């Protein structure tokens, strides 16, 4: 009985450490590694077929899962938990033998998850009016999350309208397209625009322009905000 009680307390402490960790500045460092892998490495692995699509989906689910612990407010915990378990349920259905396809619904919920995730990270970034190296890392995290969000929206446009971007690519309408969408989202966000890919309808064009605007304004606004916090 005593041994069981001690194990329960140990598990309870580990769980508390895990949940508390995502509210600390140090969590920005781990999140950066996950985002760098998702944005820059995952597309390469997908392109050359070195990774299973189940693992790709687990990476995104883990990102959304960490969002549950990024706030102490009950409303946000309820919202992030609801979105996460909805996403989890839809992805389980997709990899099962269920005859109905919910891919579009899954992607819409994914966009909602990413928007809330960005909001939570912005809250953590500017909390306590403090500036340190972790906050700079947090600013980079938000920037990369915006690129992922842009990729998701480009895919939604493609799924609903029939096309979003064209050029030197071959879209299949499944998870394997992530590399193409994240690439175009990044070159739009960074205002590089190499030209081999381009938006083909008004929605994708406006999204590309929006990402370019955010890519210009976000660093300036965040740097100004962080500098002002450090001086106050």
């Amino acid at each position: 009985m005593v041994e069981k009680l001690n194990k329960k307390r140990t598990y309870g402490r580990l769980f508390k450490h895990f949940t508390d960790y995502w509210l600390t500045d140090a969590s920005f460092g781990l999140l950066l590694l996950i985002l760098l892998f998702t944005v820059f490495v995952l597309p390469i692995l997908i392109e050359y077929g070195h990774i299973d699509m189940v693992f790709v989906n687990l990476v995104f689910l883990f990102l959304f899962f960490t969002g549950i612990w990024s706030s102490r407010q009950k409303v946000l915990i309820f919202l992030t938990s609801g979105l996460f378990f909805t996403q989890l349920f839809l992805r389980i259905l997709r990899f099962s033998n269920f005859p109905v396809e919910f891919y579009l619904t899954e992607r819409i919920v994914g966009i909602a998850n990413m928007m809330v995730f960005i909001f939570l990270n912005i809250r953590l970034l500017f909390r306590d009016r403090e500036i340190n190296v972790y906050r700079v890392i947090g600013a980079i995290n938000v920037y990369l999350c915006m690129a992922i969000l842009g990729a998701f929206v480009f895919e939604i446009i493609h799924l609903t309208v029939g096309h979003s971007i064209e050029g030197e690519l071959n879209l299949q309408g499944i998870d394997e397209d992530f590399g193409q969408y994240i690439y175009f989202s990044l070159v739009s966000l960074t205002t590089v625009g190499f030209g081999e890919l381009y938006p083909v309808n008004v929605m994708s064009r406006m999204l590309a322009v929006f990402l370019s605007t955010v890519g210009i304004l976000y660093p300036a606004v965040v740097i100004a905000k962080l500098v002002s916090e450090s001086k106050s």
Side-chain angles (χ1 to χ4, degrees), residues 111-180:
I111 288 175
N113 259 307
M114 185 55 67
M115 291 176 68
V116 173
F117 189 69
I118 290 173
F119 170 74
L120 291 172
N121 276 275
I122 290 175
R123 277 168 52 97
L124 292 174
L125 177 61
F126 294 115
R127 74 185 186 275
D128 302 332
R129 300 174 63 87
E130 185 179 340
I131 175 66
N132 55 49
V133 65
Y134 290 115
R135 298 300 171 95
V136 176
I137 292 174
I140 297 172
N141 291 345
V142 172
Y143 192 83
L144 294 176
C145 285
M146 288 179 181
I148 296 174
L149 177 62
F152 286 172
V153 179
F154 278 121
E155 183 177 19
I156 286 291
I157 294 173
H158 177 83
L159 293 172
T160 53
V161 179
H163 52 275
S164 60
I165 59 175
E166 290 184 2
E168 300 174 13
L169 79 170
N170 180 27
L171 298 176
Q172 304 177 52
I174 51 179
D175 286 328
E176 280 84 348
D177 296 337
F178 174 70
Q180 307 289 351

